[in-house]
Amino acid sequence: MIQPTVTKVLVIGYVWPEPRSSAASGHVMQILDTFVQQGWDITFSSPASPGAHKADLGALGIREVSIELNNSSFDMFISELRPDIVLFDQFMMEEQFGWRVEKCCPDALRVLETSDLQSLRHARHQRLKERLKVSADQDDFSVLFAPALREEFELMATTDLAKREVAALYRCDLNLMISEVEIELLVKQFGLPRELLHWCPLMVELPTTEPKAFEARAHFLSIGNFRHAPNWDAVLWMKSTIWPLIRQQLPDAQLHIYGAYTPPKAMALHNAAQGFHIMNWAEDALQVMSAARVCLAPLRFGAGIKGKLVDAMLCGTPSVTTPIGAEGMHDEEPWPGAITRSAVQLADAAVRLYRCPADWQAAHLAGAALLGKRYQRATHAPALIEKLRDCQKHLHERRTRNFIGSMLRHHAHKSTQYMAQWIEAKNRDTQPTRNA
């Protein structure tokens, strides 16, 4: 009896996953778990050093392998492994290792996990910086939240980061997109074929227990990795403008801010007298979210969808955010809290939810409904596996249709191969011979 072959997957990670530190790592772990449930043979590799909160991949049966940049030993490693699927975690890993995958395993399905469009996040950050240069007003940031997709494209199109990122998307056979808004931006403005993009948002199990009631909760909460620039900017906006407005209406209010890798500059903002508490890293993000009455996420720039806001829904905690924070997260469904465009609006909405049990309960229920409609693991995990299998089955046809991707892979292979040879030769104090 012929035994069915087991699908081999190689993941090349920008970092080792830390699901309790960032939503991006959480999403990677959800994808890995989906593969584990299929019984696939999974190897996770990364050139990064393990972080303080690294997940125990070995406990899931996932092999861990450290790799190096610009080192031909990777060629031997991947040639011996012979993966059926190679998943790049963030486009920089495709840039660094994609040409080696092309050389050693050309028939492997190449998949890119984007997390978010980094070029979109960067362009929006630049727009915020320009806005802050021309106006000292810290209240109304509507201008940041108004642009149509065409305006976002024009902001991104001239940047090197966008050119690099979109090229990587073309070179892959499938790209996992966490936000439908970003899919529309790529298809309608950048011209990417829709078949290269697959919507794969955060995938969660629905809660089986009733969250804490309004009366059992206290305090405001904000959470997010301090290394992520949008989170740090949100903390600064809360400190300078939003939190003083909330304290004017609720003099005894307390704000607890949690985040991994808390830098000294963040700890310097701690002020117990003002009710502004920097709490460092949360051992269990869902536990602290469940105890809070309102989640604050005043994001002035960013991309993708926000794990903290999905966590808020899981815990039944209403959230107050901006159009950037809610982008791509709720389609036309009611938001479980409030979406605001200014510091005054955000403070007023937060205070209303904190004070009013009826408004709080309505937001609480909206969160549960939104989870069920858009973020169920039971829906998205099977869809992901089905899409990957279909891509494997029709890989030749897909690559033939994606001529731009094939062309970019060809040139990336040649130019990066030469550069890698040059680097390795330089390390040996010899000069390589360039092959035509």
Side-chain angles (χ1 to χ4, degrees), residues 35-228:
F35 295 167
V36 168
Q37 295 303 315
Q38 295 297 311
W40 291 357
D41 183 312
I42 308 165
T43 300
F44 193 101
S45 61
S46 177
S49 299
H53 311 301
K54 174 185 169 295
D56 184 0
L57 299 179
L60 298 174
I62 298 173
R63 191 180 304 107
E64 299 181 4
V65 178
S66 293
I67 55 178
E68 295 181 5
L69 299 174
N70 300 316
N71 192 319
S72 58
S73 63
F74 180 84
D75 297 356
M76 182 178 297
F77 159 64
I78 193 172
S79 296
E80 292 177 353
L81 183 64
R82 300 192 62 80
D84 302 295
I85 299 173
V86 177
L87 176 70
F88 303 100
D89 172 28
Q90 301 195 29
F91 83 91
M92 295 85 75
M93 292 298 95
E94 191 282 334
E95 284 186 324
Q96 292 288 340
F97 295 97
W99 72 273
R100 293 188 183 277
V101 173
E102 177 76 5
K103 179 178 71 170
C104 302
C105 296
D107 295 328
L109 181 70
R110 301 158 60 107
V111 183
L112 176 58
E113 151 62 358
T114 61
S115 295
D116 64 13
L117 276 182
Q118 296 187 38
S119 52
L120 175 60
R121 171 160 39 90
H122 175 77
R124 286 172 167 173
H125 195 182
Q126 296 305 117
R127 183 166 57 205
L128 171 62
K129 290 177 180 178
E130 292 301 317
R131 157 66 175 78
L132 294 174
K133 284 181 184 178
V134 300
S135 174
D137 173 35
Q138 286 287 329
D139 176 39
D140 189 358
F141 287 88
S142 297
V143 66
L144 302 181
F145 310 135
L149 292 182
R150 181 66 191 178
E151 294 176 71
E152 299 285 29
F153 168 74
E154 291 173 353
L155 194 66
M156 299 165 64
T158 59
T159 67
D160 290 343
L161 189 60
K163 293 168 186 175
R164 290 170 52 202
E165 188 166 27
V166 172
L169 296 174
Y170 266 112
R171 286 193 296 264
C172 289
D173 301 306
L174 187 68
N175 300 279
L176 307 184
M177 306 299 301
I178 205 165
S179 167
E180 291 167 306
V181 172
E182 293 178 1
I183 291 177
E184 294 306 304
L185 174 64
L186 290 169
V187 171
K188 294 181 179 179
Q189 301 302 324
F190 285 91
L192 260 79
R194 192 176 290 273
E195 72 171 354
L196 293 182
L197 310 173
H198 176 71
W199 182 47
C200 183
L202 296 173
M203 303 179 285
V204 300
E205 302 285 353
L206 298 185
T208 56
T209 58
E210 188 66 25
K212 289 184 179 180
F214 175 89
E215 297 80 7
R217 298 170 180 248
H219 310 317
F220 294 90
L221 176 138
S222 184
I223 192 167
N225 191 321
F226 282 104
R227 289 180 175 174
H228 192 52

